[in-house]
Amino acid sequence: MAWKFEAGIPLSQQIVDRLRRDVISGVYPPGSLFPTVRQLAFSASVNPNTMQKALLMLEEEGLLVTLGTQGRIVTNDTEKIELSKKQCTEAEIGAMIKRAKELSLSRDELIKFIRKGWNENE
Amino acid sequence: MNDTPVLQCKNLTKSYKLGTNVLDNFNFSVPKGKIIGLLGPNGCGKSTLLKLVSGLLVPNSGEIEICGIPRSEETNSLISYLPERTYFNSRMRVSELIDYFSDFFPDFDRELAAKMLDDLAIPKGERLRALSKGMKEKVQLVMVMSRRAKLYLLDEPIGGVDPASREYILNTIIGNYSPESSVIITTHLITDIEPVLDEFAFMGWGGTILRAGDADTVRAATGKTLDELFREVFRYAPQNT
């Protein structure tokens, strides 16, 4: 799980996206203790304050819950995680559809490509 | 909560030559718990500033305060300074250097220093003159970062070291992070240190701060990296004659 950052996008945003994906995919299961700011900052080689900011953003989204001085856990509210998953998926698919349209693909063609690609990926 | 800045420079002026001020009425403040990149072209006064703060140079006028205390012998114990050149006696062994630092600085953490030297595969029994330039730089940085100071002044800490060690060194800076202390880093290798920085300050000639702010906010606002921004701010105008 190496961290890789793209130029020109705020780091905190990239960190939030990455950690959100990890929560949705279950790398950090619901109710589990989340790594500390220091641990995450160290493994990602980023400034601790930037990491802190990212975790606060995830708290605001409701994916993380703070226990005060005891650290943070992933929310137990699985509905919230599902909702986040839905939003992420919609955003990804939306971007894909936009690009498919730019390539003047039809709806059916795109679906065909997705089926084919999905099977090859199994 | 005590919000006294770790470093405060007020109307600082320094000249090496009459009529040319390297720093001219320079004002600068560093809050607690920040890692700050002081970035600027060669000769703009970055190193001069660090030398003034560490007390190697005396300003012509102006004030410097460390944690609210005017710069003095007393504040030296709060500052851990990495100069741009190594100053160690080359006949000393690395292990002797550790003893030396322990004697000098009560806040020096021997175990931490030893661990970092091991991690970087630096032989402790070796004399400094037997080490390469990059290795010497690493030794020096290890010594400086092994202190529990309030203000770290790092003048080009990663200039001469290879990329893998660079990463280790930057992680060391992150690992040592404390909300009570701050780090000022000067470097030209902006891309490498960018993720580590809270704030940046672009310093122009005469010690003017051309642009400063929160690194991530600027990335969000401009869609540019600090490196790109630096090139833009300091672009040399083509000479049309």
Side-chain angles (χ1 to χ4, degrees):
Chain A
M1 283 211 312
W3 290 76
K4 227 176 165 167
F5 296 113
E6 279 170 52
I9 306 169
L11 276 183
S12 49
Q13 191 55 54
Q14 296 188 56
I15 294 167
V16 166
D17 289 344
R18 157 73 184 264
L19 293 177
R20 190 194 292 116
R21 245 184 297 134
D22 285 350
V23 168
I24 291 171
S25 66
V27 173
Y28 305 111
S32 69
L33 195 65
F34 208 68
T36 64
V37 169
R38 191 176 277 271
Q39 286 164 345
L40 286 169
F42 196 80
S43 70
S45 293
V46 301
N47 187 289
N49 291 319
T50 310
M51 189 54 79
Q52 171 82 6
K53 207 162 91 186
L55 295 195
L56 284 177
M57 282 157 91
L58 287 168
E59 260 177 44
E60 260 167 49
E61 285 186 30
L63 290 181
L64 295 184
V65 179
T66 176
L67 304 177
T69 54
Q70 312 281 341
R72 288 182 180 81
I73 57 166
V74 178
T75 180
N76 275 310
D77 188 345
T78 44
E79 262 171 55
K80 216 164 233 164
I81 299 177
E82 275 304 310
L83 181 71
S84 186
K85 184 175 182 173
K86 193 168 153 253
Q87 286 166 346
C88 279
T89 313
E90 279 168 0
E92 293 284 342
I93 300 282
M96 193 203 306
I97 290 172
K98 189 163 161 265
R99 253 169 282 147
K101 280 182 178 167
E102 282 166 8
L103 295 168
S104 57
L105 246 67
S106 73
R107 179 176 166 276
D108 290 340
E109 276 174 313
L110 176 61
I111 292 172
K112 216 163 77 192
F113 274 116
I114 292 174
R115 280 222 180 83
K116 186 163 168 278
W118 188 277
N119 291 338
E120 280 166 6
N121 230 321
E122 293 280 272
Chain B
M1 221 179 109
N2 179 5
D3 281 333
T4 316
V6 174
L7 170 67
Q8 180 125 46
C9 299
K10 286 182 208 150
N11 306 320
L12 207 56
T13 298
K14 173 72 189 172
S15 72
Y16 296 104
K17 197 175 80 181
L18 206 65
T20 321
N21 289 344
V22 179
L23 294 178
D24 192 11
N25 254 317
F26 181 77
N27 290 291
F28 192 59
S29 172
V30 176
K32 259 196 238 176
K34 298 280 180 193
I35 303 175
I36 294 182
L38 190 60
L39 315 168
N42 308 97
C44 74
K46 302 183 297 279
S47 297
T48 298
L49 176 65
L50 297 194
K51 283 176 189 164
L52 287 168
V53 175
S54 64
L56 287 181
L57 292 175
V58 181
N60 297 57
S61 64
E63 288 163 43
I64 302 170
E65 284 183 2
I66 320 289
C67 301
I69 310 165
R71 224 224 79 75
S72 60
E73 301 281 307
E74 188 192 346
T75 59
N76 281 350
S77 62
L78 304 173
I79 301 171
S80 192
Y81 170 53
L82 177 85
E84 52 191 332
R85 289 195 199 92
T86 51
Y87 55 89
F88 300 140
N89 182 342
S90 62
R91 285 168 59 192
M92 269 179 130
R93 292 180 199 280
V94 178
S95 57
E96 289 168 346
L97 205 56
I98 295 180
D99 295 337
Y100 195 66
F101 264 72
S102 298
D103 284 349
F104 251 104
F105 303 109
D107 61 357
F108 186 74
D109 185 339
R110 282 186 81 103
E111 272 100 77
L112 180 65
K115 187 192 168 290
M116 280 161 61
L117 291 171
D118 285 342
D119 285 348
L120 288 165
I122 290 165
K124 289 202 270 299
E126 210 63 77
R127 287 185 201 277
L128 287 170
R129 65 164 173 235
L131 301 180
S132 72
K133 178 173 180 280
M135 274 174 129
K136 257 182 261 179
E137 285 188 25
K138 285 182 204 166
V139 171
Q140 191 166 9
L141 189 75
V142 166
M143 295 300 142
V144 168
M145 290 313 292
S146 296
R147 287 186 52 201
R148 298 273 167 247
K150 286 276 180 281
L151 178 62
Y152 298 88
L153 307 171
L154 310 179
D155 203 349
E156 289 286 348
I158 53 174
V161 300
D162 62 87
S165 305
R166 225 171 261 174
E167 202 182 298
Y168 178 87
I169 286 167
L170 291 176
N171 269 333
T172 305
I173 296 172
I174 296 170
N176 268 343
Y177 173 84
S178 138
E180 290 302 308
S181 61
S182 286
V183 185
I184 301 178
I185 307 175
T186 77
T187 187
H188 301 124
L189 299 163
I190 303 175
T191 312
D192 281 318
I193 65 156
E194 195 173 337
V196 174
L197 298 182
D198 276 298
E199 290 180 15
F200 71 96
F202 285 165
M203 196 166 165
W205 281 276
T208 41
I209 298 292
L210 296 176
R211 189 156 184 176
D214 181 272
D216 221 32
T217 310
V218 164
R219 270 190 290 266
T222 63
K224 293 193 177 101
T225 64
L226 285 185
D227 187 71
E228 287 167 335
L229 213 57
F230 184 91
R231 286 164 206 259
E232 217 174 271
V233 171
F234 292 109
R235 178 164 294 145
Y236 288 94
Q239 304 286 313
N240 294 323
T241 45

